[in-house]
Amino acid sequence: MATSTDPRAGANSAARAPERGPAKGPNTAFRELRGQRSPGEFAAAVRRAAREIGEQVACDARYVGRVEAGEIRCPNYAYERVFRHMFPGLTMAEMGFSAREAVRGRGARAGCGATPSYAAQPEQDDGTIDHEEVRNDEESDVLRRAFMTGGSATLAAVSLGLLPEHAAAAPQDCVRQPVRRVGEAEVGAVEEAVRRIRLLDDRHGANGLYRRAAQPLRTAYALLDAGTARRSTADRLHAGAGELAISVGWLAHDSGHYEEARSHYAEALATARLAGDPALEAHAFCNMSFLARDAGRPREALRAAQAGGRAARRLGSPRLLALLSLREAGGWAGLGDRGACEQSLARAHALFGRGPAERDPEWMTFFVEAELEMLEAQCWSALGDWPRAARHARRAACLQDPHFARNLALYRAELADDLARAGAPTESAAAGHQVLDLLPEVQSTRIQAMLADTARILAPHATCPEVATFLERRATV
């Protein structure tokens, strides 16, 4: 890793292990490894290291604090790989973690470093998914297990009808009985559901997830109605329920259910305003702008992006403001105002260039340079500058981490469409083939619709062998 971004910077020495070993209580060894960096800066280093080895972890300052406090005594397998990559030469024990067999909590675990069994994996509370084995029913299984983080959370899930197999066996009085008090386990379950949905969407697309995610969302809002003992818990639950509404809204959006997406985003916005949460409000407006652009309402897209910018102004995240500026640029492009679009793009690039910040929202891990290039490509496409759009789409596809198949397929689909409109049918067909290669693992109505548009534009060029092969292949999807 480069010196400027080396996640080991600040530790006493990569080769010298801290003397403290694993024990109950604070993890002082891990705290030493963080060095002089803030928890947020260290979390950003963890996310960067994860990307270097093809992992994705939703690490934030809160997670770092929980590790250092000893609440997470043994990380899941994804985090274990990341930490071993960050601190080569150190064992997990030397980083202050306990062996898995010593960690009980929610059931016995295999030893640290052992090959995991998917069916026997314990529920983790650190926001990632273990990927050694992926079953065909991964999506439904993850969403089912996301709320099973403890006894009280499981009871809440059963009572609110989250787990059909349990609800069928439960007495009807139990199924109808409301949860009397919500605590840390239930709030953690909501937050975990948000993280897992995002991770699965990144890898597989929205189509297979959308309907399964609706029940956890209903459960989250039922938990809000149940009440909490502490204000801090209530604030986290409002934020978690709002983020879950946005996640489900995005799944609806990507699956082509625009009105349902609009409803979920409006629900998230209402939750944000009730709770006085500007970060959630900015996120809701950001997604509302994206939806309005895709639905052909550019003026609404523009106004939603501007409202999001106002909400985000005091949050201390240049990257969030950059994304909202790109949403604004998309609105201007849809209105045909090239000058205003260029101004918004320039502002977005300047803000993005400031780099990541400690207060960047956790959900923005997708917003890397590849995404910036993709959003700019869409602006030039809306303005009818197809060659310029194709250049940015190509750059987005080249920059995108291949482990995140959904975004890679999306960027290549944009490239195929822009090339077709720019009068380069052979290149367009080649990009289209690359998208088709990814479709077995990606389920996205939006990507399929983009390919259908590309095929329509390429149809007059069917005498070209490369185009004909693409058209025949796409017709079988």
Side-chain angles (χ1 to χ4, degrees):
M1 283 179 267
T3 303
S4 60
T5 59
D6 189 346
R8 290 168 287 181
N12 291 340
S13 170
R16 178 169 54 87
E19 294 180 1
R20 299 174 182 84
K24 293 183 179 179
N27 186 338
T28 54
F30 198 82
R31 174 62 187 89
E32 287 182 24
L33 292 172
R34 175 160 66 87
Q36 298 300 313
R37 289 168 291 182
S38 70
E41 290 170 336
F42 187 77
V46 172
R47 296 194 298 270
R48 285 195 302 271
R51 289 195 293 270
E52 290 173 1
I53 61 172
E55 284 291 349
Q56 185 179 35
V57 294
C59 187
D60 57 9
R62 179 172 170 269
Y63 174 78
V64 174
R66 293 180 66 200
V67 172
E68 293 179 359
E71 295 177 25
I72 298 175
R73 294 168 55 201
C74 186
N76 76 2
Y77 297 102
Y79 271 106
E80 181 179 335
R81 285 191 293 273
V82 174
F83 293 150
R84 289 184 185 277
H85 175 63
M86 292 175 71
F87 306 110
L90 298 188
T91 66
M92 297 304 289
E94 288 169 336
M95 297 180 207
F97 292 112
S98 300
R100 287 189 199 280
E101 64 267 20
V103 180
R104 290 296 179 231
R106 288 182 292 275
R109 308 178 183 204
C112 256
T115 301
S117 169
Y118 188 91
Q121 284 174 12
E123 184 61 34
Q124 304 289 352
D125 51 4
D126 52 10
T128 66
I129 304 167
D130 294 318
H131 296 296
E132 274 81 1
E133 294 183 311
V134 181
R135 289 168 35 178
N136 292 332
D137 61 345
E138 179 190 38
E139 295 152 318
S140 58
D141 184 56
V142 167
L143 291 174
R144 175 173 58 79
R145 292 190 298 116
F147 279 80
M148 297 183 66
T149 58
S152 58
T154 305
L155 175 60
V158 171
S159 300
L160 294 167
L162 177 63
L163 306 178
E165 64 272 33
H166 289 83
Q172 289 303 306
D173 289 343
C174 176
V175 174
R176 289 193 297 267
Q177 181 181 357
V179 177
R180 299 298 182 188
R181 185 68 66 186
V182 176
E184 289 289 323
E186 289 81 2
V187 175
V190 173
E191 294 170 341
E192 175 71 357
V194 174
R195 294 187 181 105
R196 291 183 176 231
I197 288 171
R198 287 174 183 161
L199 287 167
L200 286 170
D201 175 56
D202 281 341
R203 292 181 182 273
H204 305 298
N207 289 8
L209 284 171
Y210 173 47
R211 295 302 176 189
R212 295 184 179 96
Q215 181 59 57
L217 178 60
R218 287 191 291 271
T219 302
Y221 276 92
L223 291 172
L224 273 178
D225 287 338
T228 62
R230 293 188 300 176
R231 175 61 185 270
S232 60
T233 304
D235 289 344
R236 280 179 56 200
L237 185 57
H238 273 91
E243 290 292 345
L244 188 54
I246 291 173
S247 292
V248 176
W250 162 247
L251 296 178
H253 179 177
D254 198 41
S255 299
H257 302 286
Y258 286 0
E259 289 307 314
E260 293 177 48
R262 187 182 179 93
S263 175
H264 289 307
Y265 291 157
E267 188 170 35
L269 181 60
T271 302
R273 289 181 166 173
L274 283 171
D277 187 338
L280 180 59
E281 182 175 346
H283 191 185
F285 273 128
C286 184
N287 278 48
M288 292 171 80
S289 175
F290 189 10
L291 175 65
R293 190 211 66 179
D294 280 359
R297 298 191 296 267
R299 195 168 300 280
E300 180 183 327
L302 173 64
R303 296 183 67 179
Q306 291 171 336
R310 291 191 293 272
R313 200 168 294 154
R314 294 183 296 276
L315 296 178
S317 173
R319 286 284 169 95
L320 176 56
L321 291 172
L323 179 57
L324 287 161
S325 294
L326 286 164
R327 299 283 188 237
E328 184 178 335
W332 286 122
L335 292 169
D337 192 329
R338 186 185 184 100
C341 177
E342 288 179 333
Q343 289 180 7
S344 296
L345 287 173
R347 184 168 67 252
H349 278 276
L351 289 163
F352 188 88
R354 295 184 189 177
E358 182 176 344
R359 298 187 66 184
D360 288 341
E362 180 183 340
W363 59 267
M364 286 193 66
T365 53
F366 78 96
F367 187 50
V368 293
E369 188 178 0
E371 181 71 11
L372 182 148
E373 292 288 341
M374 171 64 174
L375 294 176
E376 182 164 356
Q378 291 176 333
C379 288
W380 295 118
S381 180
L383 290 167
D385 192 340
W386 316 118
R388 192 167 185 176
R391 287 198 298 273
H392 286 282
R394 191 187 304 279
R395 180 164 171 76
C398 290
L399 289 170
Q400 178 58 32
D401 187 332
H403 289 86
F404 305 124
R406 195 278 312 276
N407 276 6
L408 184 58
L410 177 64
Y411 300 166
R412 287 175 175 171
E414 176 69 27
L415 175 60
D417 190 73
D418 292 334
L419 288 169
R421 296 175 189 274
T426 302
E427 291 181 71
S428 173
H433 276 297
Q434 292 179 321
V435 179
L436 292 172
D437 290 340
L438 293 168
L439 287 189
E441 58 181 306
V442 175
Q443 299 177 23
S444 170
T445 298
R446 187 158 62 113
I447 292 172
Q448 291 169 353
M450 293 170 71
L451 278 181
D453 284 344
T454 301
R456 177 179 52 80
I457 298 166
L458 290 178
H461 304 278
T463 55
C464 173
E466 293 86 350
V467 172
T469 303
F470 165 70
L471 294 175
E472 291 171 7
R473 187 180 174 199
R474 197 209 69 84
T476 64
V477 175

